[in-house]
Amino acid sequence: MQEKMPVLREPEKRRRGGKKLLAVLFLLFIVILGVLFFNSSISKVSTVTIEGQHFLSADTIRKTAGIAAGDAFFGTTAGKIESRIRQLKQIEEVKVTKSFPGSVTIKVMEFKTVAYTLSKNSELTAMLANGTSIAAGSDSIVDKPILSGWKDGDPVLAELCKTLAKIPEQSITDFSEIKPSPSPSYPDRIKIYTRTRFEVITAVSLLPEKIPTLNAVIEIQPPGLVTMLLADKYASFTPEDAENQGIQQKETTQ
């Protein structure tokens, strides 16, 4: 008898159609979820908070930032928002924080106020450390010197603002008014009036190095004219000899 050989079965072909269908259904599910998410309120900006501004209004910063409640939360990055806000000349630093879901916080720091000016209509304008100006509110405390007699766009004015920002505030608290007083030798020459009734003639470029000398004169001398250019000079408004003669005359009369 011939031995019967076992019949070898052909391997069944794997059905790949089912896996492809599952993959398509999964992708379709993801797409539907994405559409539903981006059309829901959870994907929108709900609040835009502005912090740190003093002179600039919150509305101005929001408009410049280009983001508002209802916009797509993932429609722009924090870096792009910061770049837009830096276009405002009054802004020195800005930090944008996005917190899901829907919260955007914009924290700004304006350039420091170094002085004020008064317009013809007696409107107060704040001069900032970078030389730009911005309208100051009527309730602003004028604790910085008043700049008078300056022309708009004067480069010396811009340099003066930058210089004042570098000087410690306690060193210039006595300054009440600063006027331009240019000369051929010193185009940036200025005249400073102090609250202690001194008049000071110096130059913007020399002011930082002359501050210690000026403060020393104010502490020990009566009100007078202080010139601090190539050489430092002081002259009392009331000559000491005249004061001494007046005292002697009073004693003689008595």
Side-chain angles (χ1 to χ4, degrees):
M1 296 180 61
Q2 293 181 353
E3 294 183 358
K4 294 183 179 180
M5 296 295 292
V7 179
L8 297 176
R9 295 181 180 180
E10 293 182 2
E12 296 182 358
K13 295 181 179 180
R14 296 181 180 179
R15 297 180 180 179
R16 297 181 179 179
K19 291 185 177 180
K20 287 183 178 180
L21 180 60
L22 287 175
V24 170
L25 290 175
F26 179 75
L27 290 174
L28 183 60
F29 178 71
I30 294 297
V31 170
I32 293 173
L33 281 181
V35 171
L36 292 174
F37 173 78
F38 286 107
N39 283 279
S40 66
S41 59
I42 198 173
S43 69
K44 307 294 182 183
V45 174
S46 57
T47 58
V48 179
T49 305
I50 311 295
E51 299 177 354
Q53 80 280 7
H54 181 58
F55 293 117
L56 286 170
S57 67
D59 288 341
T60 298
I61 296 173
R62 282 194 190 93
K63 289 178 181 178
T64 305
I67 190 166
D71 292 346
F73 183 79
F74 298 102
T76 187
T77 64
K80 288 183 179 179
I81 297 173
E82 291 173 355
S83 179
R84 294 179 194 138
I85 296 174
R86 287 194 185 97
Q87 295 176 8
L88 294 170
K89 295 180 179 179
Q90 296 84 0
I91 298 297
E92 182 176 15
E93 293 182 9
V94 56
K95 176 67 176 177
V96 175
T97 304
K98 299 177 71 178
S99 303
F100 187 80
S103 176
V104 177
T105 301
I106 302 173
K107 190 170 184 179
V108 301
M109 185 176 78
E110 298 170 350
F111 280 97
K112 183 172 66 172
T113 303
V114 296
Y116 291 94
T117 62
L118 285 173
S119 67
K120 295 179 180 179
N121 299 326
S122 298
E123 294 177 350
L124 196 64
T125 299
M127 299 300 299
L128 306 184
N130 64 340
T132 60
S133 61
I134 187 170
S138 56
D139 58 344
S140 298
I141 300 175
V142 184
D143 56 349
K144 302 292 189 298
I146 297 292
L147 306 182
S148 60
W150 294 89
K151 295 180 180 179
D152 294 337
D154 189 335
V156 177
L157 174 59
E159 192 60 33
L160 172 62
C161 292
K162 294 176 183 178
T163 300
L164 291 174
K166 297 175 184 177
I167 301 173
E169 290 189 11
Q170 62 271 21
S171 297
I172 57 176
T173 53
D174 195 36
F175 292 5
S176 63
E177 185 180 3
I178 304 177
K179 291 183 175 182
S181 182
S183 69
S185 300
Y186 293 95
D188 63 340
R189 195 176 73 165
I190 55 176
K191 180 174 284 190
I192 303 171
Y193 298 90
T194 73
R195 294 180 174 85
T196 48
R197 296 184 293 116
F198 280 81
E199 289 185 17
V200 183
I201 296 175
T202 186
V204 174
S205 55
L206 299 175
L207 184 58
E209 65 182 79
K210 298 294 185 179
I211 284 292
T213 302
L214 175 61
N215 290 339
V217 172
I218 290 175
E219 285 182 7
I220 62 175
Q221 298 292 349
L225 176 63
V226 183
T227 302
M228 298 187 301
L229 294 170
L230 184 61
D232 298 337
K233 300 177 183 179
Y234 164 76
S236 175
F237 289 142
T238 305
E240 293 182 4
D241 293 341
E243 290 183 357
N244 294 333
Q245 289 178 4
I247 294 173
Q248 292 175 358
Q249 289 176 358
K250 289 182 180 177
E251 290 177 351
T252 303
T253 304
Q254 291 175 356

